[in-house]
Amino acid sequence: MQRQRFLFAALGLLTLWRWALLPTLELAPDEALAVFRVKHGQWGDFFEIGPLVPLFARLGMLIGGAGEFGVRFFAPLLALGASLLVWRLARDLFDEQIAGWAVVIVNVLPAFNLAAVTLTPATFACVLVPAAALCVRDALRQADPKHRAWWWAAACVAGTALVQPPGFAMMAAVVCVFGLSKGLRHHLHGSGFRGILAAWSVVVLCWLVWQGGHGWPAFAEGRWLPEWRVIPNLMRWIVLASPLLLVLFVVAVRAGFSSAMLQSHRGLPMAMLLPLAGIDFFYGPHESWPDTGGVVWMLFAAVLLAHRSTVARTAVIEKKISLRTVTLVLAALQSAFLLQTDLPRTLGLTWRFSGNDSAVTDYTHVTADPSKSMRGWRESARVVSGVLEQAGGAGSWFVLAGDWPLAVELDYYLGMAGTVQSPASDLRSFTGRSAIFITEERGASGLPESLKNRFQRIELLSVARVMHAGNEVRWLKIFACHDYRAPDF
């Protein structure tokens, strides 16, 4: 009991430390998109993220202010909630000792720590997925097929789709819980499961209606296709889990998969893990940094590893303790490294930024800093603000960004009264006005073809290299586009 009190006290201190880290990084595009929707009342949009993310960003800004701290205010609290849910699930399945070790493993995971200091779909997935597992566990122990635990499970599954639509991995995990064990398959025809399926289907239907009305952006650029390259996908897991801990996850999963655990109530973590891990391996690389929502499967792997390391008799106890200590320390160090990637730069080392905003997805980016999407936005806004002042002031121009990440970041860090637009926006209200067009494409000669003929004259104003800690993080080309004319239709 004393160890458990120490564990909960440590979680409280860890939450305070995470709160202190919130203002140290600029907003990632997904976070800035949430603020953009709050600012412009776009609560019903399903583009990139679901409606729950801007809702929590708004609540956090009401409590902690409009800065990075306020936007991310709830992230450490959600991480605390996820830790307590993992503890409760592991305690119910095994005992308090295993539950305590599972929480320790979860809180040294680099992916979990990254989710705990940013407000992305990953932050919510780390809470909703174990909450759904715990509700399903409680529901299976009830004789009443309409017990409230089934309704809470349905709410958690629908919540995952409201955070990162369509939430297919979560629904697949629930199906696997019932389908993997012969003794539970009859629940697939029961009213409890039908309620879960109905709640998920309603959200997915809303998502499909929105997608159909906006040109199906979720299926653009081949993002619906899996990433089949094994080595880059594996490297992503190594970055987000640490090498030694990932190896032990594999060992624990293999041990659980080959035992009789699958046919008992203790098979729930394995049933949740398998579809979540499989889908994340092939679709996780499509997510932009720092969103690591797919690796929520590691929470269940932590439970299996805690059980394996506690009950296994094949290793001498001293060796088990040494291996456990080394694994946890290395994972904690990797977490600190990922949260503050400027650490090697403070030592005078040169570490270039990744060429894209996603996690490690290609051989050429294995050694690059993946945090580019959280660097240089404030300086980029200063550059654009200076160009606007030289051009006659922000009131004379509207700002047109080359893509949505640049648009939402500039909208946040410029703090302009008017909206920063992207080429996909409806610009009819700006007829007769001139625009400052900003793009990160080095070879750009002006506006995209769809907008090039909408302005009378286009001229290059400035080219800027945005630097961070001596490294180029962004290349901006800024054009003046005079006298916008809306299309006739």
Side-chain angles (χ1 to χ4, degrees), residues 212-227:
H214 292 79
W216 302 99
F219 301 94
E221 301 177 0
R223 293 186 61 180
W224 59 277
L225 296 172
E227 172 59 68

Side-chain angles (χ1 to χ4, degrees), residues 48-376:
E48 293 294 326
I49 56 176
L52 275 185
V53 183
L55 174 62
F56 274 77
R58 174 57 175 165
L59 294 175
M61 292 166 69
L62 290 175
I63 299 172
E68 288 92 346
F69 178 83
V71 174
R72 297 165 172 157
F73 177 82
F74 282 101
L77 292 177
L78 291 171
L80 175 62
S83 300
L84 296 177
L85 287 168
V86 169
W87 183 87
R88 171 69 184 279
L89 179 64
R91 189 201 66 176
D92 285 1
L93 293 173
F94 304 106
D95 56 44
E96 287 191 353
Q97 182 183 4
I98 293 175
W101 279 115
V103 171
V104 171
I105 295 170
V106 164
N107 279 275
V108 299
L109 275 170
F112 184 79
N113 280 287
L114 194 61
V117 297
T118 55
L119 195 75
T120 66
T123 313
F124 295 87
C126 287
V127 177
L128 291 171
V129 175
L134 188 59
C135 290
V136 169
R137 159 78 174 153
D138 289 343
L140 290 175
R141 292 186 294 185
Q142 307 299 326
D144 183 4
K146 297 182 180 180
H147 190 270
R148 64 177 180 273
W150 289 105
W151 297 105
W152 281 114
C156 291
V157 173
T160 59
L162 283 172
V163 168
Q164 194 171 35
F168 179 76
M170 177 73 259
M171 194 63 220
V174 173
V175 171
C176 192
V177 169
F178 298 127
L180 197 61
S181 174
K182 293 182 180 180
L184 298 178
R185 289 175 188 170
H186 66 279
H187 286 288
L188 292 173
H189 306 286
S191 59
F193 175 75
R194 288 200 298 268
I196 295 175
L197 182 61
W200 175 76
S201 300
V202 168
V203 178
V204 172
L205 179 61
C206 294
W207 174 72
L208 289 172
V209 170
W210 187 92
Q211 289 288 326
H214 292 79
W216 302 99
F219 301 94
E221 301 177 0
R223 293 186 61 180
W224 59 277
L225 296 172
E227 172 59 68
W228 294 110
R229 294 175 297 176
V230 174
I231 299 300
N233 294 355
L234 185 59
M235 287 301 303
R236 173 177 171 272
W237 275 3
I238 291 174
V239 168
L240 296 175
S242 87
L244 187 55
L245 194 53
L246 185 61
V247 170
L248 294 180
F249 279 166
V250 173
V251 172
V253 170
R254 182 179 178 183
F257 191 75
S258 61
S259 69
M261 183 186 295
L262 289 177
Q263 299 303 321
S264 71
H265 66 280
R266 292 182 173 182
L268 188 144
M270 181 68 71
M272 295 289 292
L273 180 150
L274 293 176
L276 290 171
I279 293 174
D280 176 58
F281 188 78
F282 293 107
Y283 284 94
H286 292 312
E287 304 300 334
S288 59
W289 191 269
D291 182 19
T292 59
V295 295
V296 69
W297 64 268
M298 292 182 185
L299 304 186
F300 299 103
V303 174
L304 294 174
L305 177 57
H307 173 262
R308 174 69 178 174
S309 62
T310 303
V311 304
R313 300 177 181 177
T314 56
V316 180
I317 187 65
E318 290 81 3
K319 291 183 178 180
K320 287 173 59 178
I321 294 175
S322 298
L323 179 60
R324 179 188 293 168
T325 302
V326 170
T327 301
L328 295 178
V329 169
L330 289 178
L333 289 174
Q334 187 166 324
S335 294
F337 188 76
L338 276 187
L339 294 180
Q340 295 293 329
T341 57
D342 279 340
L343 288 176
R345 299 186 182 99
T346 61
L347 302 176
L349 302 176
T350 301
W351 190 22
R352 69 180 182 86
F353 288 96
S354 175
N356 54 37
D357 293 338
S358 58
V360 180
T361 58
D362 204 347
Y363 304 99
T364 58
H365 300 120
V366 167
T367 59
D369 182 355
S371 68
K372 173 186 173 182
S373 63
M374 307 175 74
R375 308 287 187 183

